[in-house]
Amino acid sequence: MVRRDMRKILVTGGAGFIGSHLCERLLSEGNEVICLDNFYTGSRKNVLHLLDNPYFEILRHDVTIPCYLEIDEIYNLACPASPVYYQINPIKTVKTSVMGAINMLGLAKRKHAKILQASSSEVYGDPKVHPQKEDYWGYVNPVGIRSCYHEGKRCAETLFMDYHIQNGLKIKILRIFNTYGTRMQLNDGRVMSNFIVQALNGEELTVHGDGMQTRSFLFVDDLVDAMVIAMNTPDEFTGPVNIGNPEEITVMEIAEKIIGMTGSASGISFHPGREDDPARRKPDISLARDELDWEPRVGLEEGLARTIEYFKKALP
Ligand code: NAD
Ligand code: UDP
């Protein structure tokens, strides 16, 4: 029998790294989940274990094309997140963020559904204010190699806010900082998966630039908690709200930590710095603490240990 309080939830990008964890969580809480994905960086493998659940459905579809579904809530995650992949076809990346947002907002408007946007710390560009708070407008290059991603995310935020103001849509905007964990693809290209795979394979860890640039890494379970909590906040709360782990670390320190934790004999090799690579990134999460009563629970050591175990099994 279908439960009366069961919500129909659409997760775009649901076959990706974060999306697959979110689908799993939403199903475990007794919801019906439609996972929409074009499988560009996501994989059916990420959600194979959910296929037996009668309340789970996969829809191969591209968010740049409108779709008509019966749903109560939308989590909009469709967009490649690794710089390696979002730079392969930058026009497509912009279309995915902008046209994807328009299509999903249109669907939300028609169905009176709540909609959450997976925005990014990239909206701050290469920030000159540290740590970053939500009222900082960012320092952003509109024509660089990362622009397809961060300008797409910025425009999506604009669209979300305008649909909220103009049409009264119930929206939530989450500015997600670097997130890692199980189910990242082996060849994802982001720093955590690269370093762990290199360390486990006994290859040199490839540091870009001098390794003094910083990031703050959030474990995926903490992010999924924040997403579900944010979706269920009162309608007045729209965000944008930073979701990240304020534990800041240099790329060099990550490399050393991963070599230590894997017991690898790998060395470190230095490569040219990436264009427009943000020098420092760390969230101020006071707003998330106040409004969502949320803060990360998984520290870097624990999250890394769990991720390394996953990669050990995933490696051929
Ligand atoms: P991911 O690349 O693993 O997942 C993205 C998913 O979207 C993939 O399954 C991909 O196939 C799908 N997709 C891409 N383009 C699509 C399209 N046009 N139509 C339908 N599906 C499409 O990345 P992720 O790390 O899971 O990121 C998920 C979301 O969270 C993204 O929107 C990303 O921008 C955002 N985000 C992630 C991070 C992070 O550190 N992981 C940080 C900030 C924001
Ligand atoms: N990085 C690195 N070696 C790699 C991959 C990434 O040194 O093999 C660096 C990259 O230059 C950046 C940081 O690690 O400074 C994080 O990169 P990632 O691609 O994970 O995400 P970003 O935060 O840049 O979007």
Side-chain angles (χ1 to χ4, degrees):
M1 203 174 78
V2 176
R3 282 178 21 204
R4 277 178 174 239
D5 59 351
M6 194 175 223
R7 283 169 299 171
K8 282 191 184 166
I9 305 180
L10 174 65
V11 179
T12 78
F17 154 54
I18 296 169
S20 62
H21 285 278
L22 180 62
C23 288
E24 193 174 296
R25 170 72 64 86
L26 295 170
L27 282 170
S28 76
E29 290 179 352
N31 302 292
E32 197 173 327
V33 173
I34 303 175
C35 161
L36 181 157
D37 208 293
N38 71 350
F39 300 118
Y40 173 46
T41 48
S43 154
R44 203 177 283 275
K45 263 196 269 170
N46 287 338
V47 286
L48 260 189
H49 62 298
L50 304 177
L51 287 179
D52 285 343
N53 189 321
Y55 299 112
F56 182 68
E57 195 179 333
I58 301 187
L59 187 61
R60 182 190 281 268
H61 186 79
D62 197 299
V63 279
T64 59
I65 298 164
C67 65
Y68 300 92
L69 297 163
E70 299 301 317
I71 39 89
D72 305 308
E73 288 176 3
I74 305 172
Y75 288 83
N76 187 37
L77 276 67
C79 183
S82 163
V84 174
Y85 286 94
Y86 72 61
Q87 287 166 16
I88 288 175
N89 186 344
I91 297 171
K92 175 72 187 197
T93 301
V94 177
K95 284 184 178 173
T96 294
S97 276
V98 177
M99 292 165 69
I102 291 171
N103 290 332
M104 290 307 120
L105 286 161
L107 177 62
K109 184 179 163 196
R110 198 170 60 85
K111 297 308 302 173
H112 304 288
K114 268 195 281 188
I115 179 164
L116 179 148
Q117 168 66 357
S119 188
S120 169
S121 53
E122 280 285 314
V123 300
Y124 301 120
D126 187 2
K128 301 299 166 214
V129 168
H130 199 76
Q132 293 81 54
K133 268 176 98 92
E134 290 83 353
D135 59 7
Y136 177 52
W137 291 354
Y139 183 78
V140 185
N141 176 0
V143 290
I145 59 166
R146 298 174 78 100
S147 309
C148 58
Y149 184 78
H150 62 224
E151 296 294 21
K153 290 287 184 188
R154 285 167 70 97
C155 185
E157 285 199 10
T158 308
L159 284 160
F160 267 68
M161 203 44 87
D162 287 339
Y163 267 80
H164 169 68
I165 293 165
Q166 206 174 319
N167 297 123
L169 244 68
K170 295 169 187 168
I171 63 154
K172 314 286 174 192
I173 300 171
L174 268 53
R175 291 189 180 149
I176 303 164
F177 285 64
N178 293 66
T179 302
Y180 70 103
T182 57
R183 292 202 204 116
M184 289 184 94
Q185 307 272 15
L186 297 173
N187 62 351
D188 174 278
R190 282 175 276 185
V191 68
M192 281 296 199
S193 46
N194 274 7
F195 283 2
I196 295 174
V197 170
Q198 289 161 345
L200 292 176
N201 284 339
E203 296 159 2
E204 286 183 333
L205 275 64
T206 52
V207 168
H208 292 282
D210 60 6
M212 290 301 110
Q213 67 271 39
T214 68
R215 294 293 186 271
S216 305
F217 290 95
L218 181 67
F219 190 65
V220 65
D221 290 8
D222 282 329
L223 171 58
V224 170
D225 283 346
M227 289 178 136
V228 175
I229 294 170
M231 185 60 111
N232 293 294
T233 47
D235 294 345
E236 303 75 64
F237 182 73
T238 60
V241 57
N242 287 341
I243 301 295
N245 190 327
E247 232 181 307
E248 186 181 5
I249 183 169
T250 67
V251 166
M252 197 60 195
E253 286 165 339
I254 307 165
E256 284 160 356
K257 198 176 257 300
I258 290 175
I259 289 174
M261 287 182 71
T262 51
S264 171
S266 293
I268 291 174
S269 61
F270 290 88
H271 302 263
R274 291 178 171 178
E275 202 180 313
D276 288 345
D277 199 346
R280 292 185 77 185
R281 186 183 281 162
K282 170 181 165 150
D284 179 319
I285 59 164
S286 327
L287 186 65
R289 282 197 175 105
D290 292 347
E291 294 288 339
L292 309 184
D293 196 19
W294 170 92
E295 62 181 6
R297 287 187 294 194
V298 183
L300 190 58
E301 295 271 335
E302 184 193 339
L304 265 180
R306 286 162 68 178
T307 310
I308 289 168
E309 277 318 299
Y310 169 82
F311 276 99
K312 275 186 190 164
K313 293 194 188 105
L315 274 173

